[in-house]
Amino acid sequence: MIWVAVIGDWFNLIFKWILFGHRPYWWVQETMIYPNQSSPCLEQFPITCETGPGSPSGHAMGSSCVWYIMVTAALSYTVRWKDKSAVTLHRLTWSFLWSIFWIIQISVCISRVFIATHFPHQVVLGVFAGILVAEAFEHTPAIQTASLRMYIKTNLFLFLFALGFYLSLKLLDIDLLWSVPKAKKWCANPDWINIDTTPFAGLVRNLGALFGLGLGINSEMFITSCKGKNSCKISFRILCIAASLATLQLYNFVKIPTHTEYLFYILSFCKSAAMPLTVVALVPYCVHSLMRTTEKKLN
Ligand SMILES: O=P(O)(O)OC[C@H]1O[C@@H](O)[C@H](O)[C@@H](O)[C@@H]1O
């Protein structure tokens, strides 16, 4: 899921840079198609003022690729059921999960359009692009066994390609950050402009998440806990889920200073790397050690 989310978001950035899509909340103020200043008044909200280009929608793309992976993964279990009643159950599960999938996608799309941050075609494009990325990953089993080296190489490629693309176009006098001044100019409230939403902030977050995942999966802590004998126990899994959810809430309290851009990027990378590392390695290892100590005491 993290691979799909990261690569999907990276493609979203590249598509946004190629497509130069406007967002309704600034477009409506700049377009000449409404005569005599009769342009409609679009209400803005605290989450309207996204600073990147608008096409395709990153929220729609991220949501569709991640949910697609979850639904297809869940359905791959029910496909294995063989007897007759299981076939009916599989069909019911199939209809239920895909209905949920589309309800979520439609809700995301409507909300992005409602807050005036996207045109309808941008969210539709986002949903289908997300499904395509997820489908491509279904046929890439190599990510399941990727080594740390592979994670680092992928990270470097994603970073250098995006930076190279940005710098090459800058040489041609095309500024890919053209949308940031527009957002600043037309946002109804300057406090709603969030550095988190700039194209490079998203890139750094994704690189951090992938790097943290690679470190976690290739760490001793992960191997001892998640590949050990406890890993199949339902109690181990439930404890890991509960502890991970609680720990992730704590990360919400870590606020990164935004006054210095470079420091923001570095800290944002570290925070994004720490989150998967915590969930994949640290929490399972602590739960594993706790269970082992308890077992020893009981024996
Ligand atoms: O294009 P949307 O739906 O407004 O989404 C914007 C978001 O897109 C994501 O891809 C970026 O990682 C975020 O930083 C950004 O805020």
Side-chain angles (χ1 to χ4, degrees):
M1 251 172 66
I2 294 182
W3 270 93
V4 170
V6 167
I7 304 290
D9 210 36
W10 183 83
F11 271 117
N12 181 259
L13 172 71
I14 302 296
F15 289 155
K16 275 183 166 136
W17 276 348
I18 294 172
L19 294 177
F20 288 89
H22 288 281
R23 291 185 186 266
Y25 78 92
W26 75 59
W27 179 84
V28 83
Q29 315 264 9
E30 295 189 339
T31 180
M32 299 291 185
I33 67 166
Y34 299 106
N36 309 328
Q37 302 193 327
S38 62
S39 58
C41 175
L42 294 185
E43 190 180 349
Q44 294 188 15
F45 300 83
I47 52 169
T48 294
C49 302
E50 289 279 352
T51 54
S55 191
S57 161
H59 282 78
M61 198 165 161
S63 154
S64 72
C65 67
V66 166
W67 279 98
Y68 189 90
I69 287 289
M70 290 200 284
V71 168
T72 48
L75 287 175
S76 70
Y77 280 101
T78 60
V79 165
R80 293 178 208 148
W81 302 339
K82 285 281 178 280
D83 56 87
K84 220 172 176 187
S85 60
V87 173
T88 320
L89 194 59
H90 170 70
R91 283 196 189 135
L92 277 176
T93 319
W94 189 95
S95 316
F96 175 72
L97 290 180
W98 283 116
S99 308
I100 298 279
F101 173 84
W102 284 110
I103 289 171
I104 292 172
Q105 302 324 313
I106 291 169
S107 310
V108 171
C109 293
I110 291 177
S111 80
R112 300 306 287 166
V113 173
F114 180 79
I115 62 168
T117 199
H118 282 298
F119 291 102
H121 68 279
Q122 299 174 335
V123 287
V124 173
L125 189 61
V127 170
F128 286 105
I131 293 177
L132 273 184
V133 172
E135 193 48 44
F137 269 87
E138 301 263 311
H139 304 287
T140 320
I143 54 166
Q144 311 279 352
T145 50
S147 61
L148 182 58
R149 218 180 144 85
M150 173 74 176
Y151 277 89
I152 292 174
K153 274 191 197 161
T154 311
N155 247 0
L156 278 177
F157 172 78
L158 298 179
F159 176 65
L160 293 176
F161 187 96
L163 190 68
F165 192 63
Y166 170 77
L167 292 176
S168 323
L169 288 187
K170 196 146 183 109
L171 281 180
L172 298 175
D173 227 15
I174 301 173
D175 182 14
L176 291 179
L177 298 181
W178 59 274
S179 53
V180 181
K182 283 195 192 295
K184 286 186 176 154
K185 183 170 176 194
W186 296 115
C187 185
N189 182 343
D191 291 343
W192 294 346
I193 299 278
N194 198 341
I195 187 174
D196 259 18
T197 67
T198 60
F200 280 113
L203 177 68
V204 167
R205 259 200 318 275
N206 287 324
L207 297 180
L210 197 63
F211 181 65
L213 178 71
L215 270 189
I217 280 194
N218 290 286
S219 68
E220 261 320 299
M221 284 197 277
F222 174 79
I223 293 165
T224 317
S225 54
C226 295
K227 300 266 184 213
K229 65 178 169 61
N230 269 340
S231 64
C232 300
K233 290 185 185 160
I234 195 86
S235 53
F236 172 76
R237 293 180 176 193
I238 291 177
L239 277 174
C240 283
I241 292 173
S244 298
L245 287 177
T247 325
L248 287 180
Q249 295 307 313
L250 295 180
Y251 278 106
N252 284 337
F253 294 110
V254 181
K255 294 282 173 253
I256 298 178
T258 52
H259 47 80
T260 319
E261 215 171 331
Y262 287 108
L263 183 68
F264 170 80
Y265 288 144
I266 293 170
L267 293 179
S268 179
F269 179 90
C270 297
K271 183 178 169 186
S272 309
M275 288 160 84
L277 193 61
T278 307
V279 173
V280 166
L282 203 63
V283 166
Y285 185 72
C286 293
V287 172
H288 169 81
S289 308
L290 192 81
M291 285 177 77
R292 223 182 36 189
T293 322
T294 322
E295 271 166 21
K296 270 186 192 158
K297 274 189 186 153
L298 288 177
N299 290 337

